[in-house]
Amino acid sequence: MTEDPKPANAVRLRATLDSVPGYKPGKPAAPRTDVTTYKISSNENPYPPLPSVLEVVRESAGSMNRYPDMGVSGLSARIADELKVEPDEIATGTGSVGVLGQLVAITCDPGDEVVYAWRSFEAYPIVVALAGAASVQVPLTSDARHDLDAMAAAVTDRTRLILVCTPNNPTGPVVHADELERFLAAVPSDVVVVIDEAYLEFVTDPEAPQAIDVWRRHPNVALLRTFSKAYGLAGLRVGYAVAHEPVATALRKAAVPFGVSQLAQDAAIASLDAFGELQQRVDALVGERTRVFDALRAQGWDVPETHANFVWMPLGPDTMAFARACDEAGLVVRPFDGEGARCSIGETEANDRLIEVAGAFRGSRGADAGA
Ligand SMILES: *Cc1c(COP(=O)(O)O)cnc(C)c1O
């Protein structure tokens, strides 16, 4: 029997969808027989789950016929206790990207503006466009840092939200405490300023702000944090904001009901319990970051200072060729065509191989590649 041809589809979707860029996830590494392949394209934690956390998740899976605790009360109370804030100043979501969507939903009507640095986290333009809001992208400085003075100058009557990504994904530098303070003094107090600290645990710069203290002093500031990176729970989707009223309550209103699974809630609590062990892994990754950074700089690459679990290689027009060279060596990096490649700090062997491929690539292109 032959199927009827599909009828043409006349449904009306929102015009704003045309301006929504698709999220390009880090490619998985294709398995090969000749080399072990490594995925260093998504800033994931290369360590497998801690046995204690895995055990809690196994236990929790036995109740997955039930909806999770919709108020995420146990986890919120636990986070609040760690940070010395009130439990109702914590608002959770399906990863911090989920919370980011909630933040845009509660602040922006169509046509309102969201200011953020560019290049920065590629989820930003997506969530902003989905809300029908307008992105105002402020170029990074030549050393790949936020230009906070230019960002303050970009604020208009339509600005409702500002995103400050520190350390910045994909380039790595942090904003400094003094420049952030100056910036917050310049921003109108009715604009919500979000400090996205996805890589907070990897920061070793003494000039980085103590964001909780900044938050306490500024009613319009919210912090965005995640269990996906240092805590190694990327696959479970849980993140949170630290926010003052009325932002925190609004964020809870905008959350997907029952979005954060019980597995994720329980795993996050178990990970906070085990943070001593996780800290050792973070320290090891920071050590590896320093090793990779130093090696790439010694090869002549102009890698910006990084306080995250990745390095940025400013390859410009050579970006895609470099990504191909990495692919051939069994390494999947995250290229941004014409700009550069973000390479996550992974297993020691993956890091060794990155250094090796980068050295060979530089040799083959002459000394001015990526300078
Ligand atoms: C990885 C990342 C996040 C976290 O994403 P989740 O949704 O929590 O997994 C948030 N912000 C930035 C800048 C990131 O790089």
Side-chain angles (χ1 to χ4, degrees):
M1 214 172 84
T2 55
E3 299 276 335
D4 289 336
K6 275 195 173 179
N9 197 335
V11 297
R12 286 202 220 182
L13 301 180
R14 291 167 63 210
T16 187
L17 281 168
D18 296 337
S19 66
V20 177
Y23 191 99
K24 289 205 196 73
K27 273 196 307 179
R32 284 175 35 180
T33 50
D34 53 338
V35 286
T36 310
T37 56
Y38 295 98
K39 178 183 179 216
I40 54 168
S41 54
S42 296
N43 297 343
E44 292 150 332
N45 196 312
Y47 291 95
L50 287 176
S52 62
V53 174
L54 203 51
E55 188 47 43
V56 165
V57 170
R58 281 208 186 88
E59 179 84 12
S60 187
S63 308
M64 68 189 181
N65 53 314
R66 303 290 177 189
Y67 284 110
D69 168 6
M70 181 161 154
V72 196
S73 51
L75 176 58
S76 300
R78 182 59 206 277
I79 295 167
D81 194 47
E82 295 278 333
L83 301 179
K84 312 263 179 303
V85 305
E86 295 302 318
D88 61 11
E89 290 168 330
I90 303 297
T92 56
T94 54
S96 53
V97 172
V99 185
L100 191 64
Q102 292 157 241
L103 279 159
V104 177
I106 68 168
T107 52
C108 293
D109 283 317
D112 284 340
E113 293 171 359
V114 182
V115 173
Y116 53 90
W118 200 251
R119 180 167 282 278
S120 189
F121 187 29
E122 62 179 323
Y124 295 163
I126 299 174
V127 292
V128 170
L130 263 180
S135 279
V136 177
Q137 301 182 331
V138 178
L140 296 172
T141 63
S142 58
D143 48 357
R145 306 182 73 246
H146 277 49
D147 187 342
L148 288 174
D149 291 336
M151 287 174 69
V155 171
T156 73
D157 289 350
R158 296 304 302 265
T159 308
R160 295 291 174 273
L161 185 63
I162 302 175
L163 307 172
V164 176
C165 188
T166 179
N168 187 49
N169 176 3
T171 58
V174 287
V175 302
H176 292 163
D178 53 352
E179 59 184 355
L180 180 63
E181 217 49 63
R182 234 183 12 251
F183 172 73
L184 289 170
V187 168
S189 60
D190 61 351
V191 175
V192 174
V193 178
V194 171
I195 305 178
D196 185 343
E197 298 188 288
Y199 303 95
L200 166 71
E201 295 80 1
F202 300 99
V203 175
T204 52
D205 186 341
E207 288 189 79
Q210 291 298 321
I212 280 283
D213 295 341
V214 175
W215 172 80
R216 278 186 213 289
R217 284 183 281 107
H218 297 277
N220 60 326
V221 166
L223 312 182
L224 195 56
R225 295 183 173 181
T226 180
F227 286 95
S228 295
K229 309 282 161 55
Y231 290 84
L233 301 181
L236 282 177
R237 316 306 304 128
V238 53
Y240 63 93
V242 187
H244 299 280
E245 290 304 339
V247 175
T249 296
L251 284 175
R252 278 187 288 274
K253 284 187 188 170
V256 174
F258 304 110
V260 181
S261 73
Q262 199 62 47
L263 270 62
Q265 296 182 33
D266 294 347
I269 294 171
S271 300
L272 289 167
D273 289 344
F275 195 70
E277 273 176 277
L278 291 171
Q279 182 68 56
Q280 291 175 12
R281 295 174 164 194
V282 167
D283 292 346
L285 289 167
V286 168
E288 282 290 279
R289 173 183 82 200
T290 306
R291 184 173 74 87
V292 172
F293 176 87
D294 289 347
L296 294 177
R297 279 277 181 105
Q299 289 171 0
W301 294 101
D302 190 18
V303 176
E305 159 201 46
T306 175
H307 285 279
N309 64 343
F310 53 80
V311 290
W312 171 252
M313 300 185 59
L315 287 136
D318 292 332
T319 300
M320 300 317 280
F322 178 74
R324 274 193 303 279
C326 287
D327 255 338
E328 279 159 23
L331 276 185
V332 181
V333 300
R334 177 67 176 89
F336 296 87
D337 195 359
E339 293 176 57
R342 188 192 67 202
C343 310
S344 313
I345 300 302
E347 295 82 349
T348 306
E349 195 193 328
N351 305 332
D352 287 343
R353 207 179 296 167
L354 175 64
I355 294 169
E356 206 178 293
V357 175
F361 188 84
R362 205 170 167 83
S364 73
R365 297 268 152 168
D368 51 27

